[in-house]
Amino acid sequence: MSSKVTGSITVTMEGSNKSTTLPLLGGTLGPQVADIRKLYGELGIFTYDPGYGATASCESTITYIDGDEGVLLYRGYPIEQLAEKSTFLEVAYLLLNGELPTKAQYAEFDTGVTRHTMLHEQLRRFFDGFRRDAHPMAVMCGVVGAMAAFYHDNLNINDPEQRRIAAFRLIAKVPTIAAWAYKYSIGQPFMYPRNDLGYAENFLYMLNAVPAEPWVNNPILSRAMDRILILHADHEQNASTSTVRLAGSTGANPFACIAAGIAALWGPAHGGANEAVLKMLAEIGKPENIPAFIREVKDKNSHTKLMGFGHRVYKNFDPRAKIMKETCHEVLAELGIKNEPLLDMAMEMERIALSDDYFISRKLYPNVDFYSGIILKAMGIPTQMFTVLFAVARTVGWVSQWKELIEDPSQRIGRPRQIYTGPAARDFVPMDRRG
Ligand code: SDX
C-alpha cells in the first residue's frame, strides 16, 4: 500500500504574489501530510519543525500509533492481541515480513535465528577491552558496532539475501551480546546460547545460568520476558529508529546503523527512561515524599521530570504501559511477592499525577517505561540492564525499518536544512589586531 493524493493545500506568501499548491497525501490511517518537496524550489522557503513533532520523514507500513486514542498496531495487529496471543519471534517475523508466518515459515525463521545466536570467537575478546564497571549500553554500542568489522566484507545491502542474513545475525546475536555484557560486568563466565531454548528463555539462560550448576527455566519469567520484548519491538519513527534510518540512508553497514540506534536509545529521555524511573523512585524513597517531588517537577526551575511519564505522540495512556502494569501485577503475584514497595510507590505516583492539573493539562500519562523497570527488577534483572533489554527488543524494529528504507525506491540520503542565525560573512582579522 502506498500513499495517495487526497487533496491539495495552497501556500501564499503575504506581501508578494508568490504562491504554490502542494499535494495532500493520505495513507491507510492517521493524518494527511502536505508534500512540501517542491516548496523550496517554488517559494524559496524551508519549513521549520525542531524535534520533528509534525514532520513525516518517510512512508512506512510497519507500525501505526494513534496518540489520542492510545492505539498501537504492528502491521495492523493491535499490540494488546499480540502481547496476549503471539510470541516475540512471531512478532519479529511479522514486523520484518509484513504478515504473520505460516507454520512452515515460522519454523524456518526460528531455525534461521537459532543458527545465528553464537558470536565469532574473536568478538568474545572484544569485551576484555572494557572496564568491568562500564555501563552495559556502552558495551552494546561497541560490540554491536564491531560486528561491522566481522561481516562487512560480504555485505551488499542491495542484495535481499544478504539483507536477510544480516537481519538474522542482528536479531540472533544481540541477546548474546547483551547477556555477555552483563556477565562481563559481574565477572562471571559467558554462557553460550542454547539451541534447545526459545528466544526469551535463551536470553534469561545466558543472563542467569552459571556453568557450575544446571539452570531451570521459570516459565512465568520467560513468558513475561517474551511479552516485554513484544511491547518494546517497534514504535514508528521514534528517536532511535530515526537515527537508524538516517544512518541507513547513507548506505552505511547495517551493524553500524543498529549501533547508532543503540546509542540514541540510551538517552534518559528515550530508552534510558526505564532505568531513570527506578532511580527516581529510589531517590523519592517513600510514598509520603511523593507530593514534594511532584511540586519539584511542577517547578520549571528544577528541570526535574517525572520519568516514565509523557510522550511525544501518546496524549492518552500508552497502551504498552497498561499491559506492562497488568504484567507487573501478574509477575509479582506469580512470584509470590506480596508487596513490592516500588510498585506501590509507582501506583501512588500515577494516582497523584493523574489527578493533578499540571499533568492533565499537558496530557502527560505513564509511558512504556513507567512500569517496565519494576517488573524487570522483580525478575532479577539489574537496573543497568533495563535499557539493554529495550535495545534487544527494538533491534527487531530497527532492522525492519532499515530493511523498509533500503527497499524503498524513493529513499534518498537524509539531509535536513536549518535556519542560520550565525554571523553574516565577514573578513578574517589577524591575531595582533583582535581584542
Ligand atoms: C520512549 O518516541 C517514542 O515512541 C519513544 C518510545 C519508543 O517506544 O520508542 O515510546 C520510548 O522514549 C518513551 C518516553 C520515555 N521518556 C521518559 O519517560 C522521560 C520523561 N518524559 C519527557 O522527557 C517527555 O515527556 C518526552 C521526552 C517523552 C516527550 O517530550 P516532548 O514531546 O518534547 O514533550 P515536551 O517536552 O514538549 O512536553 C510538553 C510539556 C512541557 O511543559 P511546558 O513547556 O508545556 O510547560 O510537558 C512537560 C514539558 O516540560 N513534560 C513533563 C514531562 N514530559 C513533558 N513535565 C514533567 N515530567 C515529564 N515527564
Side-chain angles (χ1 to χ4, degrees), residues 65 231-232 234-241 265 267-274 277 297-298 300 304-315 318 320 358-359 362 364 367-370 390 394:
I65 302 171
L231 295 176
H232 286 84
D234 194 53
H235 213 238
E236 282 192 0
Q237 306 312 317
N238 57 83
S240 52
T241 298
L265 185 75
H270 189 14
N274 49 23
V277 167
V297 166
K298 290 158 64 173
K300 285 292 172 203
T304 302
K305 295 269 193 215
L306 202 175
M307 301 313 280
F309 256 67
H311 199 276
R312 172 62 55 79
V313 178
Y314 290 122
K315 301 308 171 190
D318 179 335
R320 301 168 298 175
Y358 174 92
F359 297 90
R362 292 170 176 79
L364 302 176
N367 59 50
V368 66
D369 294 302
F370 191 62
F390 197 149
R394 189 53 57 89

